[in-house]
Structures are given as C-alpha cells and as structure tokens.
C-alpha cells in the first residue's frame, strides 16, 4: 500500500496501515493467521483492533526483512515487544495510522518510531514533556506543533534505546535541540546517563527523521552500531 512514510526508513523494513481503510484480501488472510487470542482477552474492542493491526504491520515488516513468518509476537512484561533474536523493531499507533518497522540487528542497534496527531499535544503538558535544552520555539511551527514533535521524537528515542538500556527513562532525560523542516530531520541529545554506553559522557546525540502528512506526524530513529 502506498503511504507517505516509507522514505523515513533507510535501514529498516516498514509497513503501515490507515486505520479507517478496509483490509484487502491478502491482508485479511494474514490477519486471520495472527495468534493472540489469550493476549487480547479482556481488551477493549478498540485496543484489541489496534493491537492486532500493529501485529499485522509487524508481521509484514518482519517478512520483508527476514522472509520468515511471524504470527505470535508477544509483549514482554514491561510492554515492549519480544522480537525474535536477530532483529530489532518498533510499533506505533495513533488515531489514524498504525505501523511497524523491523531491521536485522547486524544493520541497526535499534529502531524507534512514533505516530502522533500533529498539534494535539496540549501546552498544559509542556512541563512534563520539556527538559532544559529543548527548543522553546520554531519559526515554522506553532507551539503545539513544536511540542508534538518534541514529544514524538522523545518517544521514538525511548523505543529505540529501551531494549539496549532495559530501564525506564523520562522526558527530562533528553532534549530536542534541532528540528529541520526542510530536510525532515531532528537532533535529540541524552542529558542523563542511562548506562555506560548511553549518556552525556558516552554516546549522547542522535539524528532522527520525521514527516508530517495531513494531521499525523511520524518520527523515526534508526540507531546505528
Ligand atoms: C511506551 C511508550 C513510549 C509508548 O508510546 P505511546 O505513544 O503511548 O504509544 P504508541 O502507539 O506510539 O506505541 C505503543 C507501542 O510501543 C511499544 N512499546 C511499549 N513499551 C515499549 C518499550 N519499553 N520499549 C519499546 N517499545 C515499547 C509496544 O509495541 C506498544 O504497542 P502494543 O502495546 O500494541 O504492542 C509510552 O507509553 C511511554 O511509556 N513513554 C514514557 C517513556 C518515554 O517516552 N520517555 C522519553 C525518553 S526521552
């Protein structure tokens, strides 16, 4: 399916679906093979749909990357997906879109992606989302749009790094210092030590990519070795 996001993924396989669109026949067949009856037991129907569509995207991205099937991607107790060994991956959903990306772990150390509804991040949340070094304004963005991009970039960093650092870190632990709308890139810096390998005294600066289409923004962080 044609989508506006694929160019953001340089070293990972990506698959996304627009939620309101009906699945075509081949996707319906793939969807019917997903094995998550116990995992989604008790989920609200909306959450169940979202979870299963995320898994469908993961299955498609995983196949494109490895040529292997994947119909039972569980979540770890911390909610992160338990990707099979040999790959790294990421899943995201917002009101309109759901998607997943997968890369071989020889190609990338991690990958994180995050869909948000552009401008919907409320300014009242700024105190929770912003850290000292975050951009305070941007000549081409409203304050709400800037906050959405900062929030999304931080979530992408979290998803890319979490499997490496294996611990929670918060919005105060990183700063978005540059957003380049013309090139669709952002720079995010860690300002706290997460472990020996990631933090201000070790590896701290990361460049991600993003695009905004209609009401949705997608940020992507592919973490190289
Ligand atoms: C985990 C979190 C990043 C998910 O983001 P979200 O915007 O709420 O939701 P999204 O739809 O984009 O992503 C949800 C998916 O993230 C994945 N996920 C959950 N926890 C994860 C983790 N620890 N690491 C990697 N991926 C994770 C799951 O696949 C989940 O989808 P699923 O439950 O259907 O499997 C967010 O809820 C959170 O806890 N954020 C606080 C930590 C943070 O962002 N710190 C900023 C550091 S600078």
């Amino acid at each position: 399916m044609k989508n506006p996001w694929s160019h953001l993924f340089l070293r990972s396989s990506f698959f996304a679906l627009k939620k309101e669109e009906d699945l075509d026949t081949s996707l319906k067949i793939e969807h019917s093979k997903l094995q998550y009856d116990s995992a989604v037991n008790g989920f609200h129907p909306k959450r169940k749909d979202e979870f299963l569509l995320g898994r469908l995207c993961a299955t498609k991205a995983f196949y494109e990357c490895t040529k292997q099937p994947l119909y039972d991607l569980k979540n770890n107790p911390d909610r992160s997906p338990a990707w099979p060994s040999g790959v790294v991956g990421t899943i995201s959903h917002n009101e309109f879109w759901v998607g997943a990306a997968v890369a071989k772990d020889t190609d990338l150390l991690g990958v994180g992606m995050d869909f948000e509804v552009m401008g919907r991040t409320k300014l009242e949340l700024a105190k929770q989302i912003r850290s000292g070094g975050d951009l305070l304004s941007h000549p081409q963005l409203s304050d709400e749009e800037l906050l959405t991009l900062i929030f999304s970039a931080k979530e992408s960093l979290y998803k890319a790094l979490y499997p490496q650092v294996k611990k929670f870190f918060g919005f105060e632990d990183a700063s978005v210092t540059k957003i380049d709308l013309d090139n669709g890139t952002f720079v995010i810096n860690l300002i706290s030590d997460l472990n020996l390998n990631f933090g201000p005294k070790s590896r701290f600066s990361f460049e991600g990519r993003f695009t905004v289409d209609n009401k949705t923004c997608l940020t992507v962080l592919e973490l190289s070795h």
Side-chain angles (χ1 to χ4, degrees):
M1 179 200 148
K2 197 104 186 81
N3 67 60
W5 321 111
S6 298
H7 66 285
L8 300 177
F9 297 84
L10 305 186
R11 304 184 71 188
S12 42
S13 302
F14 166 72
F15 191 85
L17 291 166
K18 204 163 187 184
K19 281 184 176 175
E20 70 202 22
E21 278 173 14
D22 288 335
L23 299 181
D24 66 24
T25 310
S26 71
L27 283 176
K28 275 188 187 148
I29 292 169
E30 297 288 299
H31 193 264
S32 70
K33 293 182 192 165
L34 298 177
Q35 291 158 20
Y36 298 107
D37 286 349
S38 60
V40 298
N41 206 353
F43 275 18
H44 185 279
K46 242 180 144 177
R47 170 65 181 132
K48 182 175 162 184
D49 279 357
E50 177 178 88
F51 179 91
L52 291 176
L53 287 178
R55 263 38 193 189
L56 179 58
C57 292
T59 298
K60 298 291 285 182
F62 184 81
Y63 186 80
E64 198 183 311
C65 179
T66 64
K67 301 293 172 250
Q68 300 290 321
L70 175 68
Y71 294 113
D72 58 351
L73 173 66
K74 301 285 181 309
N75 271 354
N76 293 309
D78 57 21
R79 277 194 56 210
S80 62
W83 295 100
S85 62
V87 303
V88 293
T90 183
I91 296 172
S92 184
H93 8 69
N94 76 355
E95 193 179 322
F96 309 108
W97 284 90
V98 52
V102 175
K104 291 192 175 131
D105 64 6
T106 45
D107 291 337
L108 287 178
L109 195 56
V111 57
M113 61 178 266
D114 186 61
F115 281 120
E116 294 296 332
V117 179
M118 190 59 171
R120 197 177 279 175
T121 312
K122 297 231 162 53
L123 294 181
E124 296 93 273
L125 296 175
K127 269 202 182 125
Q128 279 111 285
I129 295 168
R130 283 186 179 285
S131 61
D134 283 319
L135 290 174
L136 284 172
S137 63
H138 193 289
Q140 293 156 285
L141 295 168
S142 71
D143 289 349
E144 287 85 355
E145 289 169 337
L146 174 60
L147 193 61
T148 305
L149 279 176
I150 289 173
F151 178 73
S152 183
K154 289 186 176 187
E155 299 243 285
S156 281
L157 178 71
Y158 182 76
K159 290 181 190 177
L161 274 184
Y162 183 87
Q164 290 299 317
V165 301
K166 293 191 175 61
K167 66 175 187 191
F168 180 85
F169 57 105
F171 296 100
E172 68 284 4
D173 293 320
S175 295
V176 177
T177 56
K178 191 172 169 195
I179 294 177
D180 181 336
L181 263 93
D182 299 325
N183 291 320
T185 55
F186 64 87
V187 174
I188 184 164
N189 294 335
L190 279 174
I191 52 179
S192 309
D193 279 316
L194 302 182
N195 67 12
L196 285 176
N197 298 323
F198 293 101
K201 291 184 223 83
S202 42
R203 195 169 168 190
F204 72 93
S205 191
F206 309 91
E207 187 174 274
R209 288 176 291 280
F210 73 95
T211 201
V212 181
D213 182 80
N214 202 0
K215 290 186 206 146
T216 291
C217 76
L218 174 62
T219 58
V220 177
L221 210 144
E222 291 184 320
L223 188 67
S224 55
H225 283 279

